[in-house]
Amino acid sequence: MNARRIGIVCHPGLGGSGTVATELAAALAERGHDVHLIARDRPFRYTGRGRLHVHAPQIPEHPATGTPPQLMAEAACLAALVEEHELEILHAHFAVPHSMAIWMARAMSGRAGVRLISTLHGSDVTVFGAHPEFRRAVCFALGASDAVTTVSVWLAEEATRLLGCTTNARVIPNGTDTERFRPREGLSSRRRFAREGELLLGHASNMRPVKRVGDVVEVFARIAAQQPARLLMVGDGPDRQRAEEDLERRGLGARAVFLGAQEAVESVLPALDWFLLPSAGESFGLAALEAMACGVPVAGYRAGGLPEVVEDGATGCLVGVHDAAALAAAVQSVREEAHTSMRVAARARVLEHFAMERIAPRWEALYEEVLASRT
Ligand code: GMT
């Protein structure tokens, strides 16, 4: 494998796309590539692993511009890196605005040989791409990319349906670090959050409406009415407060813990018996993948890309969308022996299909393919 000079640009916050980009960048650096990660803040999950170079575009603020000119700052930063480090690949994670920024950077640097890759993650299609004002810009930027990828088949189909332009997107699913996310026996956090004989349910997200945190509460309440159970909530977002109030109103406040955003979520996930992700329809569900890597079965709806990650009956339970009662019943129908098998199968599925050691070579193959097209 040739060592390549790669720039990866992403949003740094709590979102899965930034996590995926950061973990891919670290894995590629460990595999001997010269990798530059560009994000406006230190990426949330960046641990310093791999010989990564991290750059933050300087975004000048001025009352005259109102909103800071993020796109120009990012493009200028990328163009400078292309020139200074002779980058061969610019890889945008999340099309808005990064796909436009990499196109501008190539034009600005005058290095026509730099190959551009855009990875669609979700809202860049379903929110921005679907928006009439944005669609044209998203389509333009994707059309200017040398390759477009999506994280699931579902998202590739949504892109075709919503964008109204040809993307020729191919699917490379998200990968995860299976050393960081792994089962852990005798975990002290288990004793911290649940007593002997209690079922420990958990959820982790940015608690936006698409995550349907209210359904997490509903599922938990139904299960807690039948057996001793506790709920562990990780992350923060607009629907957190309502969920806390809802639990209080139902008299379940003392049985739930809200931890807020956690950098080391891998030390919490393995403690769970079930991971709940009843999203309305998201492209992938990275948190579900991380839970499975920790040997935790996932319960969610048959919606979006989640069925491409979770196999109903084998690595978790999937039921019809918005049917919290069915989801609670599905979880409760899984007896101890079947649950143990699900734990093993969940971990095995991640190792076989989504481990970063398996996903990184797919990116390397795509990089080589687009680089070969230069001549
Ligand atoms: O698209 C978003 O709303 C945000 C985005 C993100 O940056 O986290 O989430 C998407 O990308 C993740 C990583 O590929 C996926 O795990 C999420 O399912 C996906 N979210 C949606 O599709 C809503």
Side-chain angles (χ1 to χ4, degrees):
M1 180 72 218
N2 297 319
R4 295 295 184 186
R5 298 181 298 280
I6 303 161
I8 291 182
V9 54
C10 68
H11 292 292
L14 264 178
S17 59
T19 299
V20 165
T22 304
E23 290 189 355
L24 173 64
L28 290 170
E30 280 184 349
R31 292 167 75 86
H33 302 280
D34 181 26
V35 187
H36 296 258
L37 185 68
I38 299 96
R40 66 180 181 279
D41 289 314
R42 188 185 73 93
F44 182 66
R45 284 281 185 83
Y46 180 54
T47 55
R49 186 169 69 87
R51 287 173 296 103
L52 262 187
H53 312 281
V54 183
H55 310 269
Q58 297 304 307
I59 307 182
E61 293 203 26
H62 190 279
T65 60
T67 317
Q70 189 199 331
L71 178 59
M72 283 182 88
E74 190 170 298
C77 172
L78 285 163
L81 291 171
V82 165
E83 287 161 2
E84 190 183 336
H85 300 282
E86 301 188 7
L87 299 184
E88 299 166 283
I89 298 275
L90 288 178
H91 185 172
H93 279 266
F94 208 87
V96 182
H98 306 314
S99 296
M100 191 68 91
I102 58 176
W103 174 76
M104 287 166 68
R106 179 165 71 182
M108 234 189 281
S109 70
R111 307 269 167 102
V114 176
R115 299 292 87 181
L116 308 181
I117 296 184
S118 287
T119 294
L120 298 171
H121 277 273
S123 303
D124 41 3
V125 170
T126 56
V127 176
F128 296 104
H131 192 284
E133 297 282 328
F134 257 98
R135 199 184 295 143
R136 186 167 173 192
V138 172
C139 281
F140 172 82
L142 296 182
S145 297
D146 298 293
V148 176
T149 75
T150 62
V151 300
S152 62
V153 175
W154 178 83
L155 188 61
E157 290 170 358
E158 284 296 279
T160 303
R161 189 172 74 83
L162 295 170
L163 293 176
C165 56
T166 312
T167 61
N168 293 322
R170 54 184 102 185
V171 180
I172 300 185
N174 291 327
T176 193
D177 179 346
T178 52
E179 261 309 295
R180 182 171 183 177
F181 292 93
R182 61 184 159 81
R184 291 165 208 248
E185 296 294 328
L187 209 62
S188 56
S189 59
R190 168 85 203 184
R191 289 189 294 279
R192 204 174 124 208
F193 300 120
R195 299 205 185 111
E196 194 73 32
E198 288 178 330
L199 195 68
L200 184 58
L201 305 164
H203 170 82
S205 76
N206 46 22
M207 300 194 188
R208 289 190 292 132
V210 69
K211 305 291 178 178
R212 294 186 69 88
V213 179
D215 288 24
V216 173
V217 172
E218 179 66 32
V219 171
F220 172 66
R222 285 174 179 270
I223 293 173
Q226 308 280 325
Q227 67 184 102
R230 302 231 174 220
L231 179 63
L232 194 55
M233 299 291 273
V234 178
D236 216 335
D239 290 346
R240 172 178 169 168
Q241 193 182 339
R242 197 175 317 142
E244 289 189 73
E245 287 165 4
D246 196 6
L247 284 159
E248 284 298 336
R249 202 172 41 246
R250 293 169 187 254
L252 291 169
R255 305 203 71 80
V257 174
F258 284 73
L259 292 178
Q262 296 290 304
E263 289 220 14
V265 69
E266 68 273 15
S267 64
V268 175
L269 288 176
L272 302 176
D273 295 309
W274 283 92
F275 186 81
L276 305 178
L277 194 67
S279 302
E282 58 175 313
S283 68
F284 189 87
L286 185 67
L289 184 69
E290 292 171 344
M292 284 166 59
C294 295
V296 179
V298 174
Y301 296 143
R302 217 173 280 113
L306 195 63
E308 295 172 49
V309 181
V310 180
E311 283 175 310
D312 182 31
T315 60
C317 299
L318 298 177
V319 305
V321 187
H322 306 176
D323 195 344
L327 198 54
V331 167
Q332 289 198 289
S333 72
V334 178
R335 297 286 162 235
E336 197 177 330
E337 208 175 306
H339 184 257
T340 304
S341 307
M342 279 187 176
R343 276 190 181 285
V344 174
R347 169 79 181 164
R349 179 164 168 75
V350 179
L351 289 176
E352 192 177 343
H353 298 286
F354 303 99
M356 194 49 97
E357 303 89 83
R358 291 194 182 267
I359 299 300
R362 294 179 66 175
W363 286 112
E364 289 171 334
L366 180 61
Y367 294 162
E368 289 306 315
E369 186 188 318
V370 294
L371 285 168
S373 74
R374 274 188 300 193
T375 50

PDB file of all heavy atoms in Angstrom, residues 9 38 56-59 69-83 87 90 97-110:
ATOM      1  N   VAL A   9     -11.592  16.528   6.447  1.00  0.00           N
ATOM      2  CA  VAL A   9     -12.236  17.684   7.079  1.00  0.00           C
ATOM      3  C   VAL A   9     -13.597  17.271   7.628  1.00  0.00           C
ATOM      4  O   VAL A   9     -14.341  16.518   6.993  1.00  0.00           O
ATOM      5  CB  VAL A   9     -12.311  18.877   6.088  1.00  0.00           C
ATOM      6  CG1 VAL A   9     -12.966  18.517   4.787  1.00  0.00           C
ATOM      7  CG2 VAL A   9     -13.002  20.081   6.705  1.00  0.00           C
ATOM      8  N   ILE A  38      -8.745  18.376   9.633  1.00  0.00           N
ATOM      9  CA  ILE A  38      -9.097  19.796   9.675  1.00  0.00           C
ATOM     10  C   ILE A  38     -10.492  19.926  10.291  1.00  0.00           C
ATOM     11  O   ILE A  38     -11.469  19.374   9.787  1.00  0.00           O
ATOM     12  CB  ILE A  38      -9.074  20.409   8.254  1.00  0.00           C
ATOM     13  CG1 ILE A  38      -7.668  20.285   7.653  1.00  0.00           C
ATOM     14  CG2 ILE A  38      -9.507  21.875   8.275  1.00  0.00           C
ATOM     15  CD1 ILE A  38      -7.460  19.101   6.759  1.00  0.00           C
ATOM     16  N   ALA A  56      -6.936  23.783  12.789  1.00  0.00           N
ATOM     17  CA  ALA A  56      -8.213  24.498  12.953  1.00  0.00           C
ATOM     18  C   ALA A  56      -8.183  25.748  12.080  1.00  0.00           C
ATOM     19  O   ALA A  56      -7.316  26.602  12.270  1.00  0.00           O
ATOM     20  CB  ALA A  56      -8.408  24.881  14.402  1.00  0.00           C
ATOM     21  N   PRO A  57      -9.093  25.865  11.115  1.00  0.00           N
ATOM     22  CA  PRO A  57      -9.136  27.087  10.309  1.00  0.00           C
ATOM     23  C   PRO A  57      -9.377  28.297  11.205  1.00  0.00           C
ATOM     24  O   PRO A  57     -10.174  28.208  12.146  1.00  0.00           O
ATOM     25  CB  PRO A  57     -10.347  26.874   9.383  1.00  0.00           C
ATOM     26  CG  PRO A  57     -10.676  25.429   9.471  1.00  0.00           C
ATOM     27  CD  PRO A  57     -10.168  24.929  10.777  1.00  0.00           C
ATOM     28  N   GLN A  58      -8.669  29.363  10.956  1.00  0.00           N
ATOM     29  CA  GLN A  58      -8.879  30.605  11.716  1.00  0.00           C
ATOM     30  C   GLN A  58     -10.045  31.348  11.079  1.00  0.00           C
ATOM     31  O   GLN A  58      -9.979  31.703   9.909  1.00  0.00           O
ATOM     32  CB  GLN A  58      -7.620  31.473  11.682  1.00  0.00           C
ATOM     33  CG  GLN A  58      -6.426  30.801  12.340  1.00  0.00           C
ATOM     34  CD  GLN A  58      -6.721  30.379  13.778  1.00  0.00           C
ATOM     35  OE1 GLN A  58      -7.154  31.194  14.580  1.00  0.00           O
ATOM     36  NE2 GLN A  58      -6.517  29.095  14.101  1.00  0.00           N
ATOM     37  N   ILE A  59     -11.099  31.525  11.844  1.00  0.00           N
ATOM     38  CA  ILE A  59     -12.295  32.143  11.273  1.00  0.00           C
ATOM     39  C   ILE A  59     -12.438  33.549  11.840  1.00  0.00           C
ATOM     40  O   ILE A  59     -12.814  33.721  12.997  1.00  0.00           O
ATOM     41  CB  ILE A  59     -13.557  31.297  11.564  1.00  0.00           C
ATOM     42  CG1 ILE A  59     -13.302  29.853  11.111  1.00  0.00           C
ATOM     43  CG2 ILE A  59     -14.778  31.900  10.876  1.00  0.00           C
ATOM     44  CD1 ILE A  59     -14.455  28.913  11.287  1.00  0.00           C
ATOM     45  N   PRO A  69     -17.429  33.834   8.421  1.00  0.00           N
ATOM     46  CA  PRO A  69     -17.300  33.245   7.077  1.00  0.00           C
ATOM     47  C   PRO A  69     -16.563  31.908   7.105  1.00  0.00           C
ATOM     48  O   PRO A  69     -15.442  31.776   6.629  1.00  0.00           O
ATOM     49  CB  PRO A  69     -16.529  34.313   6.314  1.00  0.00           C
ATOM     50  CG  PRO A  69     -15.730  35.021   7.355  1.00  0.00           C
ATOM     51  CD  PRO A  69     -16.511  34.962   8.632  1.00  0.00           C
ATOM     52  N   GLN A  70     -17.241  30.903   7.663  1.00  0.00           N
ATOM     53  CA  GLN A  70     -16.604  29.605   7.900  1.00  0.00           C
ATOM     54  C   GLN A  70     -16.100  28.939   6.624  1.00  0.00           C
ATOM     55  O   GLN A  70     -14.998  28.402   6.568  1.00  0.00           O
ATOM     56  CB  GLN A  70     -17.599  28.678   8.602  1.00  0.00           C
ATOM     57  CG  GLN A  70     -16.956  27.384   9.074  1.00  0.00           C
ATOM     58  CD  GLN A  70     -17.982  26.292   9.334  1.00  0.00           C
ATOM     59  OE1 GLN A  70     -19.120  26.585   9.675  1.00  0.00           O
ATOM     60  NE2 GLN A  70     -17.589  25.049   9.178  1.00  0.00           N
ATOM     61  N   LEU A  71     -16.923  29.013   5.580  1.00  0.00           N
ATOM     62  CA  LEU A  71     -16.569  28.307   4.347  1.00  0.00           C
ATOM     63  C   LEU A  71     -15.268  28.833   3.748  1.00  0.00           C
ATOM     64  O   LEU A  71     -14.379  28.061   3.377  1.00  0.00           O
ATOM     65  CB  LEU A  71     -17.727  28.424   3.351  1.00  0.00           C
ATOM     66  CG  LEU A  71     -17.517  27.780   1.989  1.00  0.00           C
ATOM     67  CD1 LEU A  71     -17.240  26.288   2.116  1.00  0.00           C
ATOM     68  CD2 LEU A  71     -18.751  27.994   1.102  1.00  0.00           C
ATOM     69  N   MET A  72     -15.143  30.161   3.684  1.00  0.00           N
ATOM     70  CA  MET A  72     -13.929  30.739   3.094  1.00  0.00           C
ATOM     71  C   MET A  72     -12.710  30.419   3.939  1.00  0.00           C
ATOM     72  O   MET A  72     -11.636  30.110   3.423  1.00  0.00           O
ATOM     73  CB  MET A  72     -14.074  32.254   2.924  1.00  0.00           C
ATOM     74  CG  MET A  72     -14.931  32.620   1.747  1.00  0.00           C
ATOM     75  SD  MET A  72     -15.036  34.392   1.519  1.00  0.00           S
ATOM     76  CE  MET A  72     -13.631  34.697   0.481  1.00  0.00           C
ATOM     77  N   ALA A  73     -12.888  30.500   5.264  1.00  0.00           N
ATOM     78  CA  ALA A  73     -11.762  30.227   6.158  1.00  0.00           C
ATOM     79  C   ALA A  73     -11.308  28.770   5.999  1.00  0.00           C
ATOM     80  O   ALA A  73     -10.107  28.471   5.945  1.00  0.00           O
ATOM     81  CB  ALA A  73     -12.178  30.498   7.600  1.00  0.00           C
ATOM     82  N   GLU A  74     -12.282  27.895   5.903  1.00  0.00           N
ATOM     83  CA  GLU A  74     -11.955  26.468   5.777  1.00  0.00           C
ATOM     84  C   GLU A  74     -11.254  26.196   4.439  1.00  0.00           C
ATOM     85  O   GLU A  74     -10.249  25.481   4.387  1.00  0.00           O
ATOM     86  CB  GLU A  74     -13.265  25.681   5.874  1.00  0.00           C
ATOM     87  CG  GLU A  74     -13.067  24.196   6.000  1.00  0.00           C
ATOM     88  CD  GLU A  74     -14.397  23.538   6.342  1.00  0.00           C
ATOM     89  OE1 GLU A  74     -14.967  23.836   7.401  1.00  0.00           O
ATOM     90  OE2 GLU A  74     -14.872  22.735   5.522  1.00  0.00           O
ATOM     91  N   ALA A  75     -11.800  26.776   3.367  1.00  0.00           N
ATOM     92  CA  ALA A  75     -11.212  26.560   2.047  1.00  0.00           C
ATOM     93  C   ALA A  75      -9.788  27.106   1.995  1.00  0.00           C
ATOM     94  O   ALA A  75      -8.885  26.461   1.444  1.00  0.00           O
ATOM     95  CB  ALA A  75     -12.084  27.222   0.981  1.00  0.00           C
ATOM     96  N   ALA A  76      -9.577  28.278   2.597  1.00  0.00           N
ATOM     97  CA  ALA A  76      -8.237  28.877   2.580  1.00  0.00           C
ATOM     98  C   ALA A  76      -7.254  28.012   3.365  1.00  0.00           C
ATOM     99  O   ALA A  76      -6.110  27.784   2.942  1.00  0.00           O
ATOM    100  CB  ALA A  76      -8.296  30.282   3.170  1.00  0.00           C
ATOM    101  N   CYS A  77      -7.729  27.487   4.518  1.00  0.00           N
ATOM    102  CA  CYS A  77      -6.888  26.612   5.346  1.00  0.00           C
ATOM    103  C   CYS A  77      -6.522  25.347   4.561  1.00  0.00           C
ATOM    104  O   CYS A  77      -5.357  24.939   4.504  1.00  0.00           O
ATOM    105  CB  CYS A  77      -7.632  26.277   6.635  1.00  0.00           C
ATOM    106  SG  CYS A  77      -6.840  25.046   7.660  1.00  0.00           S
ATOM    107  N   LEU A  78      -7.514  24.770   3.904  1.00  0.00           N
ATOM    108  CA  LEU A  78      -7.281  23.537   3.128  1.00  0.00           C
ATOM    109  C   LEU A  78      -6.320  23.798   1.966  1.00  0.00           C
ATOM    110  O   LEU A  78      -5.411  22.998   1.706  1.00  0.00           O
ATOM    111  CB  LEU A  78      -8.616  23.003   2.589  1.00  0.00           C
ATOM    112  CG  LEU A  78      -9.512  22.321   3.623  1.00  0.00           C
ATOM    113  CD1 LEU A  78     -10.940  22.209   3.097  1.00  0.00           C
ATOM    114  CD2 LEU A  78      -8.965  20.945   3.962  1.00  0.00           C
ATOM    115  N   ALA A  79      -6.516  24.927   1.273  1.00  0.00           N
ATOM    116  CA  ALA A  79      -5.653  25.233   0.122  1.00  0.00           C
ATOM    117  C   ALA A  79      -4.201  25.370   0.581  1.00  0.00           C
ATOM    118  O   ALA A  79      -3.276  24.867  -0.068  1.00  0.00           O
ATOM    119  CB  ALA A  79      -6.125  26.517  -0.558  1.00  0.00           C
ATOM    120  N   ALA A  80      -4.020  26.034   1.730  1.00  0.00           N
ATOM    121  CA  ALA A  80      -2.651  26.208   2.250  1.00  0.00           C
ATOM    122  C   ALA A  80      -2.036  24.844   2.590  1.00  0.00           C
ATOM    123  O   ALA A  80      -0.856  24.598   2.326  1.00  0.00           O
ATOM    124  CB  ALA A  80      -2.691  27.103   3.488  1.00  0.00           C
ATOM    125  N   LEU A  81      -2.850  23.956   3.157  1.00  0.00           N
ATOM    126  CA  LEU A  81      -2.330  22.625   3.506  1.00  0.00           C
ATOM    127  C   LEU A  81      -2.006  21.809   2.256  1.00  0.00           C
ATOM    128  O   LEU A  81      -1.022  21.068   2.226  1.00  0.00           O
ATOM    129  CB  LEU A  81      -3.351  21.868   4.366  1.00  0.00           C
ATOM    130  CG  LEU A  81      -3.561  22.428   5.774  1.00  0.00           C
ATOM    131  CD1 LEU A  81      -4.743  21.743   6.461  1.00  0.00           C
ATOM    132  CD2 LEU A  81      -2.297  22.260   6.605  1.00  0.00           C
ATOM    133  N   VAL A  82      -2.835  21.953   1.227  1.00  0.00           N
ATOM    134  CA  VAL A  82      -2.572  21.249  -0.041  1.00  0.00           C
ATOM    135  C   VAL A  82      -1.210  21.676  -0.576  1.00  0.00           C
ATOM    136  O   VAL A  82      -0.388  20.840  -0.984  1.00  0.00           O
ATOM    137  CB  VAL A  82      -3.693  21.555  -1.078  1.00  0.00           C
ATOM    138  CG1 VAL A  82      -3.266  21.155  -2.483  1.00  0.00           C
ATOM    139  CG2 VAL A  82      -4.983  20.855  -0.684  1.00  0.00           C
ATOM    140  N   GLU A  83      -0.960  22.983  -0.521  1.00  0.00           N
ATOM    141  CA  GLU A  83       0.307  23.495  -1.065  1.00  0.00           C
ATOM    142  C   GLU A  83       1.490  23.080  -0.183  1.00  0.00           C
ATOM    143  O   GLU A  83       2.478  22.551  -0.660  1.00  0.00           O
ATOM    144  CB  GLU A  83       0.249  25.025  -1.158  1.00  0.00           C
ATOM    145  CG  GLU A  83      -0.658  25.481  -2.286  1.00  0.00           C
ATOM    146  CD  GLU A  83      -1.106  26.933  -2.142  1.00  0.00           C
ATOM    147  OE1 GLU A  83      -0.676  27.614  -1.178  1.00  0.00           O
ATOM    148  OE2 GLU A  83      -1.909  27.376  -2.981  1.00  0.00           O
ATOM    149  N   LEU A  87      -0.823  17.646  -0.411  1.00  0.00           N
ATOM    150  CA  LEU A  87      -1.879  16.650  -0.178  1.00  0.00           C
ATOM    151  C   LEU A  87      -2.383  16.115  -1.514  1.00  0.00           C
ATOM    152  O   LEU A  87      -2.516  16.858  -2.488  1.00  0.00           O
ATOM    153  CB  LEU A  87      -3.038  17.263   0.616  1.00  0.00           C
ATOM    154  CG  LEU A  87      -2.699  17.801   2.014  1.00  0.00           C
ATOM    155  CD1 LEU A  87      -3.963  18.287   2.723  1.00  0.00           C
ATOM    156  CD2 LEU A  87      -1.981  16.752   2.851  1.00  0.00           C
ATOM    157  N   LEU A  90      -8.368  15.137  -0.650  1.00  0.00           N
ATOM    158  CA  LEU A  90      -9.147  15.902   0.337  1.00  0.00           C
ATOM    159  C   LEU A  90     -10.463  15.162   0.527  1.00  0.00           C
ATOM    160  O   LEU A  90     -11.188  14.931  -0.450  1.00  0.00           O
ATOM    161  CB  LEU A  90      -9.403  17.339  -0.150  1.00  0.00           C
ATOM    162  CG  LEU A  90      -8.199  18.288  -0.151  1.00  0.00           C
ATOM    163  CD1 LEU A  90      -8.604  19.666  -0.698  1.00  0.00           C
ATOM    164  CD2 LEU A  90      -7.604  18.442   1.251  1.00  0.00           C
ATOM    165  N   PRO A  97     -20.519  22.332   5.127  1.00  0.00           N
ATOM    166  CA  PRO A  97     -20.109  22.927   3.854  1.00  0.00           C
ATOM    167  C   PRO A  97     -18.861  22.285   3.262  1.00  0.00           C
ATOM    168  O   PRO A  97     -18.268  22.811   2.330  1.00  0.00           O
ATOM    169  CB  PRO A  97     -19.787  24.367   4.260  1.00  0.00           C
ATOM    170  CG  PRO A  97     -19.124  24.204   5.607  1.00  0.00           C
ATOM    171  CD  PRO A  97     -19.811  23.010   6.262  1.00  0.00           C
ATOM    172  N   HIS A  98     -18.439  21.139   3.845  1.00  0.00           N
ATOM    173  CA  HIS A  98     -17.082  20.664   3.546  1.00  0.00           C
ATOM    174  C   HIS A  98     -16.864  20.272   2.083  1.00  0.00           C
ATOM    175  O   HIS A  98     -15.757  20.428   1.570  1.00  0.00           O
ATOM    176  CB  HIS A  98     -16.717  19.495   4.470  1.00  0.00           C
ATOM    177  CG  HIS A  98     -16.890  19.807   5.931  1.00  0.00           C
ATOM    178  ND1 HIS A  98     -16.450  20.965   6.492  1.00  0.00           N
ATOM    179  CD2 HIS A  98     -17.466  19.104   6.942  1.00  0.00           C
ATOM    180  CE1 HIS A  98     -16.738  20.978   7.782  1.00  0.00           C
ATOM    181  NE2 HIS A  98     -17.366  19.856   8.074  1.00  0.00           N
ATOM    182  N   SER A  99     -17.893  19.744   1.408  1.00  0.00           N
ATOM    183  CA  SER A  99     -17.679  19.355   0.002  1.00  0.00           C
ATOM    184  C   SER A  99     -17.412  20.592  -0.848  1.00  0.00           C
ATOM    185  O   SER A  99     -16.612  20.553  -1.785  1.00  0.00           O
ATOM    186  CB  SER A  99     -18.898  18.599  -0.539  1.00  0.00           C
ATOM    187  OG  SER A  99     -19.040  17.396   0.177  1.00  0.00           O
ATOM    188  N   MET A 100     -18.078  21.672  -0.516  1.00  0.00           N
ATOM    189  CA  MET A 100     -17.832  22.927  -1.243  1.00  0.00           C
ATOM    190  C   MET A 100     -16.432  23.454  -0.894  1.00  0.00           C
ATOM    191  O   MET A 100     -15.716  23.960  -1.758  1.00  0.00           O
ATOM    192  CB  MET A 100     -18.903  23.954  -0.867  1.00  0.00           C
ATOM    193  CG  MET A 100     -18.905  25.168  -1.731  1.00  0.00           C
ATOM    194  SD  MET A 100     -19.419  24.809  -3.409  1.00  0.00           S
ATOM    195  CE  MET A 100     -21.180  25.091  -3.304  1.00  0.00           C
ATOM    196  N   ALA A 101     -16.048  23.308   0.366  1.00  0.00           N
ATOM    197  CA  ALA A 101     -14.743  23.824   0.803  1.00  0.00           C
ATOM    198  C   ALA A 101     -13.594  23.087   0.101  1.00  0.00           C
ATOM    199  O   ALA A 101     -12.606  23.717  -0.297  1.00  0.00           O
ATOM    200  CB  ALA A 101     -14.611  23.692   2.324  1.00  0.00           C
ATOM    201  N   ILE A 102     -13.732  21.759  -0.058  1.00  0.00           N
ATOM    202  CA  ILE A 102     -12.615  21.042  -0.697  1.00  0.00           C
ATOM    203  C   ILE A 102     -12.520  21.415  -2.179  1.00  0.00           C
ATOM    204  O   ILE A 102     -11.435  21.508  -2.744  1.00  0.00           O
ATOM    205  CB  ILE A 102     -12.681  19.495  -0.484  1.00  0.00           C
ATOM    206  CG1 ILE A 102     -13.974  18.890  -1.020  1.00  0.00           C
ATOM    207  CG2 ILE A 102     -12.471  19.143   0.987  1.00  0.00           C
ATOM    208  CD1 ILE A 102     -14.019  17.339  -0.912  1.00  0.00           C
ATOM    209  N   TRP A 103     -13.682  21.644  -2.809  1.00  0.00           N
ATOM    210  CA  TRP A 103     -13.660  22.073  -4.218  1.00  0.00           C
ATOM    211  C   TRP A 103     -13.006  23.447  -4.345  1.00  0.00           C
ATOM    212  O   TRP A 103     -12.156  23.682  -5.207  1.00  0.00           O
ATOM    213  CB  TRP A 103     -15.101  22.114  -4.763  1.00  0.00           C
ATOM    214  CG  TRP A 103     -15.184  22.683  -6.133  1.00  0.00           C
ATOM    215  CD1 TRP A 103     -14.844  22.072  -7.306  1.00  0.00           C
ATOM    216  CD2 TRP A 103     -15.612  24.009  -6.475  1.00  0.00           C
ATOM    217  NE1 TRP A 103     -15.035  22.923  -8.361  1.00  0.00           N
ATOM    218  CE2 TRP A 103     -15.510  24.128  -7.877  1.00  0.00           C
ATOM    219  CE3 TRP A 103     -16.075  25.096  -5.733  1.00  0.00           C
ATOM    220  CZ2 TRP A 103     -15.860  25.286  -8.556  1.00  0.00           C
ATOM    221  CZ3 TRP A 103     -16.418  26.270  -6.407  1.00  0.00           C
ATOM    222  CH2 TRP A 103     -16.312  26.350  -7.799  1.00  0.00           C
ATOM    223  N   MET A 104     -13.349  24.363  -3.456  1.00  0.00           N
ATOM    224  CA  MET A 104     -12.747  25.699  -3.477  1.00  0.00           C
ATOM    225  C   MET A 104     -11.236  25.606  -3.219  1.00  0.00           C
ATOM    226  O   MET A 104     -10.454  26.318  -3.846  1.00  0.00           O
ATOM    227  CB  MET A 104     -13.408  26.594  -2.409  1.00  0.00           C
ATOM    228  CG  MET A 104     -14.816  27.028  -2.773  1.00  0.00           C
ATOM    229  SD  MET A 104     -15.721  27.716  -1.355  1.00  0.00           S
ATOM    230  CE  MET A 104     -14.831  29.227  -1.048  1.00  0.00           C
ATOM    231  N   ALA A 105     -10.857  24.729  -2.295  1.00  0.00           N
ATOM    232  CA  ALA A 105      -9.437  24.608  -1.946  1.00  0.00           C
ATOM    233  C   ALA A 105      -8.630  24.116  -3.143  1.00  0.00           C
ATOM    234  O   ALA A 105      -7.524  24.603  -3.396  1.00  0.00           O
ATOM    235  CB  ALA A 105      -9.271  23.652  -0.767  1.00  0.00           C
ATOM    236  N   ARG A 106      -9.202  23.161  -3.868  1.00  0.00           N
ATOM    237  CA  ARG A 106      -8.462  22.665  -5.041  1.00  0.00           C
ATOM    238  C   ARG A 106      -8.300  23.793  -6.068  1.00  0.00           C
ATOM    239  O   ARG A 106      -7.217  23.996  -6.614  1.00  0.00           O
ATOM    240  CB  ARG A 106      -9.176  21.461  -5.664  1.00  0.00           C
ATOM    241  CG  ARG A 106      -8.441  20.947  -6.891  1.00  0.00           C
ATOM    242  CD  ARG A 106      -8.894  19.575  -7.321  1.00  0.00           C
ATOM    243  NE  ARG A 106     -10.232  19.606  -7.899  1.00  0.00           N
ATOM    244  CZ  ARG A 106     -10.885  18.514  -8.319  1.00  0.00           C
ATOM    245  NH1 ARG A 106     -10.311  17.324  -8.199  1.00  0.00           N
ATOM    246  NH2 ARG A 106     -12.091  18.601  -8.813  1.00  0.00           N
ATOM    247  N   ALA A 107      -9.397  24.501  -6.296  1.00  0.00           N
ATOM    248  CA  ALA A 107      -9.331  25.589  -7.283  1.00  0.00           C
ATOM    249  C   ALA A 107      -8.327  26.656  -6.841  1.00  0.00           C
ATOM    250  O   ALA A 107      -7.513  27.141  -7.619  1.00  0.00           O
ATOM    251  CB  ALA A 107     -10.721  26.188  -7.457  1.00  0.00           C
ATOM    252  N   MET A 108      -8.364  26.981  -5.557  1.00  0.00           N
ATOM    253  CA  MET A 108      -7.493  28.039  -5.023  1.00  0.00           C
ATOM    254  C   MET A 108      -6.023  27.649  -5.089  1.00  0.00           C
ATOM    255  O   MET A 108      -5.165  28.471  -5.362  1.00  0.00           O
ATOM    256  CB  MET A 108      -7.874  28.259  -3.549  1.00  0.00           C
ATOM    257  CG  MET A 108      -8.196  29.681  -3.197  1.00  0.00           C
ATOM    258  SD  MET A 108      -8.373  29.844  -1.431  1.00  0.00           S
ATOM    259  CE  MET A 108      -9.985  29.215  -1.170  1.00  0.00           C
ATOM    260  N   SER A 109      -5.756  26.370  -4.808  1.00  0.00           N
ATOM    261  CA  SER A 109      -4.362  25.927  -4.764  1.00  0.00           C
ATOM    262  C   SER A 109      -3.782  25.741  -6.167  1.00  0.00           C
ATOM    263  O   SER A 109      -2.564  25.667  -6.329  1.00  0.00           O
ATOM    264  CB  SER A 109      -4.255  24.600  -3.997  1.00  0.00           C
ATOM    265  OG  SER A 109      -4.847  23.563  -4.765  1.00  0.00           O
ATOM    266  N   GLY A 110      -4.659  25.612  -7.144  1.00  0.00           N
ATOM    267  CA  GLY A 110      -4.178  25.387  -8.510  1.00  0.00           C
ATOM    268  C   GLY A 110      -3.627  23.985  -8.725  1.00  0.00           C
ATOM    269  O   GLY A 110      -3.015  23.696  -9.745  1.00  0.00           O
TER     270      GLY A 110
END
